[in-house]
Amino acid sequence: KLQFLYLIGCFCCCCCEDAERMTIDQMFDGSRVPHGHTYVPVGEESKLLDEERSHRGWEDYTTMESLHMWFFESKFNLAVVAFPPAVAAWALDWGETPLFLLSLCSLVALSSMLSSSTEQISLHLNQSLGALLNVTFGNAIEMILATFALSKGLFGVVKYSLLGSVTSNAIWSLGVAFLVAGKDGSVIRWNRPVAGINTSVLFAALFAYMLPCAASTRGDVDDADLLRMSHYLAVLLLASYFLYLLSMKTHSHIYEDGEEDDETPVLSAKTGVAALSVVTFSVCLVSEWVCDTIGSFALNVGMSPRFVAFILLPLAGNLPEFVTVVSMAAKGKMDLCVGVAIGSAMQVATFVVPALTLIGWGLGQPLTMNYGVLESVVLFLCILKAFQITQKKEATWIEGATLVISYAAISVAFWVWVKNNSPDEMEVPLPVPVPHAAVPTLPKAVVPGVH
């Protein structure tokens, strides 16, 4: 009787509208396993668990479980294992080169953790406050690193790291994304006008970067005039950026992707704020170590300090964002891919750079927006190329290859730019040589009759 009742119960489970139909033989042949009140094929129970977990919120987990899921959400977070050795290298004085490399690896993990913790907090807020929080911390790595460099008077590190962030997002990330999306020979298309709006704002900001360079070539313009011009231009750039944020509210239908976002936060609001605070403090420590050791690292490995600040720092800080852009391109989400790549470059050019110029004004650091002739030409060509591609709203893999080659050409130029430009001109800290003890000179013995 018990066996008969068991078979009747199994049959009823098969007839439930949430259960998958199957025969009595499949219940006992090992091809299906119990899951809740039904049976599922072997190997699919993990998929159902993942689907159920995606609809669960932070209330269903303990704090440790929430932190565990948040930490292992991205593989880049595993690079945080380099942070304890970096602390040891700083405390035990292992040398500038190990400290710089460990800090650079830690920066990759901290960038990913900063982005994910900000996203977790924004899920607890409404759409407007969440967007404002994401915009504020979207370029926090560049902002914190440049602020520490600015406080130490390292104007070269500030300028070249920010310039490298703009160019890497505008042509490097976009080029690799086009290569991945068009590897099967298809034509890459995107329909949303967000990319065109971002490049238009970026192209308009180019005037603020070219004018100080052009004015510096005149003999009748001194440094005080360039500094005053930079302050005025910084205010105008910030105004253009806030107008861009206003357009996101007045024309919200343009920026909407049409997909419902039902993501639930894994971390509670308090846990998210605590995680963001710890990560931000760690970023401050790592940024200070990077600024203190970049000059010694460049000398020890024989690299140009400009190459380190222009290529290595932006690539390490933007690596998680770069992988996100490429993964979206592989999934065919080109609207979001192009919008993120160009939008990040636009935020640095119209918000981070002018904000740091005004912060330097408050700190008494004369940071100007004069980037030099070669640097201004590089910025102009990168923005022009990004503007030309995004206005077409379609591309192929060959255009992605040209973007990557262009970035490689820029990297080569900054790699070989070392002989005629010493680190002193880059304004990076150098190791102070230890003076040798002076050998006392004994007076010669005076012998009578001997000269």
Side-chain angles (χ1 to χ4, degrees), residues 42 56 65 70 72 75 93 102 142 180 209 214 217 243 246-247 271 279 297 310 320 322 327 329 379 406 414:
V42 175
R56 297 170 63 185
E65 289 176 343
W70 167 74
F72 288 99
K75 295 181 179 179
D93 196 13
L102 291 172
E142 292 92 342
V180 173
Y209 293 91
T217 59
L243 289 176
L246 180 62
S247 70
T271 307
V279 173
F297 171 78
F310 184 84
F322 166 75
S327 62
L379 184 63
S406 301
F414 282 89

Side-chain angles (χ1 to χ4, degrees), residues 338-383:
V338 177
V340 170
I342 303 299
S344 298
M346 185 271 298
Q347 287 182 355
V348 175
T350 59
F351 175 71
V352 178
V353 173
L356 286 169
T357 303
L358 297 181
I359 290 175
W361 187 13
L363 295 177
Q365 299 288 356
L367 179 65
T368 67
M369 296 183 64
N370 179 23
Y371 279 76
V373 177
L374 177 62
E375 296 83 352
S376 300
V377 170
V378 167
L379 184 63
F380 172 78
L381 293 177
C382 291
I383 295 178

Side-chain angles (χ1 to χ4, degrees), residues 224-277:
D225 295 332
L226 286 176
L227 184 61
R228 187 165 56 254
M229 180 190 298
S230 299
H231 294 161
Y232 294 152
L233 293 175
V235 173
L236 292 176
L237 283 179
L238 288 177
S240 66
Y241 180 73
F242 288 116
L243 289 176
Y244 168 78
L245 295 181
L246 180 62
S247 70
M248 295 179 65
K249 183 175 181 60
T250 58
H251 296 75
S252 58
H253 62 282
I254 297 179
Y255 299 91
E256 293 176 354
D257 55 6
E259 298 180 0
E260 296 183 358
D261 188 9
D262 56 350
E263 184 181 0
T264 56
V266 177
L267 300 178
S268 64
K270 293 182 179 180
T271 307
V273 171
L276 181 62
S277 303

Side-chain angles (χ1 to χ4, degrees), residues 82-95 98-99 102 289:
F83 183 71
V87 177
W90 168 75
L92 302 178
D93 196 13
W94 289 356
L99 180 57
L102 291 172
W289 298 338

Side-chain angles (χ1 to χ4, degrees), residues 291-305:
C291 294
D292 291 338
T293 58
I294 183 174
S296 301
F297 171 78
L299 287 180
N300 294 337
V301 300
M303 288 185 180
S304 168

